[in-house]
Amino acid sequence: MEFKNPILPGFHPDPSICCVDDDFYLVTSTFEYFPGLPIFHSKNLIDWTLIGHGIERESQLTLSNKNPNAFGLYAPTIRYINNRFYIICTNVPHIGQGTGNFIIWTDDIKDVWSDPIWIDLPGIDPSLFMDDDGTVYYTGADGGIFLTEIDLVTGETTERLDIWAGTGAADPEGPHIYKKNGYYYLMISEGGTSYGHMIVMARSKKITGPYEAFEGNPVLTNRSSNSPIQAIGHSDLVQDANGNWWAVCLGIRPIAYPRAHLLGRETFLVPIVWKRDWPVFGEEGQVKEIMSGPLPQTIKQEIMREKLDWLTLFGGNAPYISETQSGFELVPSNNNLSDSQPMAWIGVRQQHFNFHFSATLVTPLVNGEIGVTAFLNPTHHYEIYLERDSVLSLNFRRRIGSLWKTEKTILLVKEPKEVTFILEGTPSTYKFSYQVDQEEIERIGEGETHYLTTEVGGVFTGIMLGIYASNPLSDGNRLRMEKINYYEK
């Protein structure tokens, strides 16, 4: 059956997957965004429903705001071991401070997850593997790939053993171990997480090695190709109930030349067949937009999403944001979009190149500003906003690195009952418009998507479409944004 990639569009990097009976569960990285580690469920591998988050209580851990788009929750792995679900992950930059690598668990994946069990190990990209005798192993990346036994209750580990340095390319990371036909297969990423990204494999008869590299490496990559999908890497494998093997991996879809990507690193699905005891990925080791394989179910799965997957920055936003029946109530703080601090900001991932996003302010603005933003990080964002200082005005502003400018200001001569902020996107342009009291929709400005791409201003995330409010006076003005819409055009 044919299917279309990506299976999770927009900022969903570093996917990890497991299968329990005929149910698939998948988790991805979230970096500085909260709640963290979204968990998805599927029956057919192509239609996914968000069922929760591994990190959803601020008491579980602290997310750093020191280097937006580069710190936070890296590369989780999800596994089902002895009737319990585990996620193992890294909270950067807390490695070596007792709050870096950690495990969380739950007996009911739709219920709450535990507080972290902290692991005193260096490196990133941890993974778990349980052998036939019940021993559980931890693999991680720290200059090369290392292995240790781990106690899932205490987080205690045995002496570290370095097992593979990779094939010689940069950044060996993202390790996972699988067992098939008496071999232990070690799969890792190399080449960095950009356009040289690739998946390589090695195997051994003993889990401790030595590991023999596959002579046909890399087993999966789109590097040095003209494919519209690039940077393929950081993969995880799963076997379905019918015995078929699949890979999930991250990739990007550049929008222009020179190549730059806007939506972040997304999740792709690749079928696998085994030949001569080695896996063959996709079409000659590449990921395509349209692929085919023996999907476990051909019936389309209903995707139950009662509401959008809203995220905040860093955590600590509870005093500023509360959900209402039809939107959000924002309490502006004195922090603004250019501050790396918790504030009245909440957003959703941009998942489509062509989209509509809008929100309507239904309460008077006393002081400060409120609006809608296309947001990469505190130094790269565009927004339309209503502002009140000595006058009431609608404004369009862009910030690109250290350069920022309010490009248009429209004075309002009468107090509006409501203001709708509209953001529409194409692969090349963000277009900002407004509507006051159901009158005509007016365009206020536009900006190139290029300046909000990862290659220009970001690191590991993608664009968020958000609503926000700020007020240097912090006078407690409560503002309601309702009629919030996001859809593909």
Side-chain angles (χ1 to χ4, degrees), residues 129-145:
F129 170 79
M130 186 176 74
D131 211 346
D132 299 334
D133 64 359
T135 303
V136 179
Y137 293 90
Y138 173 117
T139 52
D142 183 31
I145 308 304

Side-chain angles (χ1 to χ4, degrees), residues 69-80:
N69 298 163
F71 285 168
L73 298 178
Y74 276 42
T77 296
I78 187 168
R79 293 292 183 260
Y80 187 66

Side-chain angles (χ1 to χ4, degrees), residues 14-207:
D14 307 322
S16 177
I17 190 170
C18 70
C19 183
V20 181
D21 298 323
D22 60 353
D23 292 284
F24 298 93
Y25 300 98
L26 186 149
V27 64
T28 69
S29 297
T30 41
F31 296 89
E32 68 261 36
Y33 290 100
F34 181 87
L37 308 183
I39 300 161
F40 298 88
H41 168 258
S42 179
K43 288 283 191 180
N44 61 12
L45 287 170
I46 54 174
D47 300 307
W48 293 89
T49 297
L50 178 69
I51 60 173
H53 294 83
I55 300 297
E56 60 182 1
R57 303 183 304 279
E58 294 184 7
S59 61
Q60 285 175 287
L61 51 75
T62 299
L63 295 171
S64 172
N65 63 352
K66 300 302 182 184
N67 191 359
N69 298 163
F71 285 168
L73 298 178
Y74 276 42
T77 296
I78 187 168
R79 293 292 183 260
Y80 187 66
I81 299 173
N82 293 333
N83 300 314
R84 176 170 283 180
F85 290 94
Y86 294 89
I87 292 176
I88 189 167
C89 188
T90 307
N91 186 19
V92 178
H94 298 281
I95 305 164
Q97 302 174 30
T99 54
N101 289 298
F102 65 91
I103 298 173
I104 53 176
W105 59 268
T106 183
D107 293 324
D108 180 355
I109 199 164
K110 294 183 180 179
D111 203 351
V112 298
W113 288 74
S114 72
D115 286 338
I117 301 166
W118 299 106
I119 304 165
D120 186 18
L121 284 173
I124 59 172
D125 299 358
S127 181
L128 296 174
F129 170 79
M130 186 176 74
D131 211 346
D132 299 334
D133 64 359
T135 303
V136 179
Y137 293 90
Y138 173 117
T139 52
D142 183 31
I145 308 304
F146 69 89
L147 177 79
T148 177
E149 295 180 28
I150 186 168
D151 185 318
L152 294 178
V153 176
T154 65
E156 294 179 356
T157 59
T158 59
E159 185 178 355
R160 161 180 166 167
L161 176 67
D162 294 321
I163 58 173
W164 196 35
T167 67
D171 301 322
E173 57 190 11
H176 295 298
I177 290 178
Y178 314 91
K179 192 174 186 181
K180 187 177 186 296
N181 295 341
Y183 282 104
Y184 296 91
Y185 290 86
L186 175 56
M187 182 176 71
I188 71 171
S189 296
E190 286 186 326
T193 192
S194 187
Y195 293 93
H197 214 189
M198 59 181 176
I199 297 294
V200 298
M201 295 193 77
R203 70 182 183 185
S204 173
K205 285 288 189 178
K206 297 171 59 179
I207 194 168

Side-chain angles (χ1 to χ4, degrees), residues 383 395-398 405-408 432 444-447:
E383 51 270 355
N395 304 269
F396 172 57
R397 177 177 60 212
R398 293 198 291 166
K405 181 182 180 183
T406 300
E407 300 195 358
K408 191 168 185 178
F432 293 80
I444 193 171
E446 60 183 50

Side-chain angles (χ1 to χ4, degrees), residues 1-3 19 22 24 43-46 238-247 269-274 280-282 291-299:
M1 178 181 176
E2 284 192 343
F3 60 89
C19 183
D22 60 353
F24 298 93
K43 288 283 191 180
N44 61 12
L45 287 170
I46 54 174
V238 69
Q239 188 177 21
D240 65 29
N242 299 320
N244 298 306
W245 287 76
W246 302 85
L269 178 68
V270 183
I272 289 175
V273 295
W274 290 79
V280 178
F281 289 67
M291 304 195 79
S292 61
L295 293 172
Q297 291 189 16
T298 57
I299 300 173

Side-chain angles (χ1 to χ4, degrees), residues 113-396:
W113 288 74
S114 72
D115 286 338
I117 301 166
W118 299 106
I119 304 165
D120 186 18
L121 284 173
I124 59 172
D125 299 358
S127 181
L128 296 174
F129 170 79
M130 186 176 74
D131 211 346
D132 299 334
D133 64 359
T135 303
V136 179
Y137 293 90
Y138 173 117
T139 52
D142 183 31
I145 308 304
F146 69 89
L147 177 79
T148 177
E149 295 180 28
I150 186 168
D151 185 318
L152 294 178
V153 176
T154 65
E156 294 179 356
T157 59
T158 59
E159 185 178 355
R160 161 180 166 167
L161 176 67
D162 294 321
I163 58 173
W164 196 35
T167 67
D171 301 322
E173 57 190 11
H176 295 298
I177 290 178
Y178 314 91
K179 192 174 186 181
K180 187 177 186 296
N181 295 341
Y183 282 104
Y184 296 91
Y185 290 86
L186 175 56
M187 182 176 71
I188 71 171
S189 296
E190 286 186 326
T193 192
S194 187
Y195 293 93
H197 214 189
M198 59 181 176
I199 297 294
V200 298
M201 295 193 77
R203 70 182 183 185
S204 173
K205 285 288 189 178
K206 297 171 59 179
I207 194 168
T208 54
Y211 279 85
E212 165 203 4
F214 178 42
E215 63 182 15
N217 279 324
V219 292
L220 182 65
T221 186
N222 281 26
R223 65 179 185 175
S224 303
S225 75
N226 292 322
S227 172
I229 302 168
Q230 292 290 324
I232 289 295
H234 203 101
S235 182
D236 195 9
L237 307 186
V238 69
Q239 188 177 21
D240 65 29
N242 299 320
N244 298 306
W245 287 76
W246 302 85
V248 290
C249 61
L250 67 77
I252 63 174
R253 291 180 290 166
I255 56 175
Y257 185 84
R259 294 186 295 196
H261 68 287
L262 184 69
L263 302 184
R265 298 174 299 165
E266 308 173 287
T267 292
F268 295 76
L269 178 68
V270 183
I272 289 175
V273 295
W274 290 79
K275 295 182 179 179
R276 296 182 294 278
D277 283 329
W278 288 102
V280 178
F281 289 67
E283 296 185 18
E284 298 180 346
Q286 287 198 350
V287 179
K288 305 291 185 180
E289 183 178 21
I290 303 297
M291 304 195 79
S292 61
L295 293 172
Q297 291 189 16
T298 57
I299 300 173
K300 185 173 179 62
Q301 173 183 327
E302 183 179 2
I303 303 176
M304 299 298 294
R305 285 197 179 97
E306 295 181 357
K307 51 193 173 184
L308 294 169
D309 184 18
W310 290 97
L311 302 173
T312 64
L313 280 164
F314 316 122
N317 297 276
Y320 311 121
I321 304 166
S322 58
E323 192 169 357
T324 66
Q325 187 172 2
S326 56
F328 293 94
E329 185 175 74
L330 306 179
V331 178
S333 73
N334 59 7
N335 297 321
N336 60 52
L337 290 172
S338 294
D339 297 324
S340 295
Q341 299 292 334
M343 63 172 295
W345 180 100
I346 190 165
V348 297
R349 297 166 177 85
Q350 181 184 337
Q351 295 183 272
H352 311 95
F353 291 116
N354 298 283
F355 70 88
H356 170 101
F357 180 81
S358 61
T360 299
L361 174 67
V362 297
T363 51
L365 175 65
V366 176
N367 288 298
E369 66 180 67
I370 183 169
V372 159
T373 180
F375 183 90
L376 176 64
N377 55 37
T379 58
H380 292 78
H381 49 86
Y382 305 160
E383 51 270 355
I384 177 177
Y385 60 97
L386 183 69
E387 182 179 35
R388 187 190 294 275
D389 44 30
S390 59
V391 295
L392 185 65
S393 61
L394 277 160
N395 304 269
F396 172 57

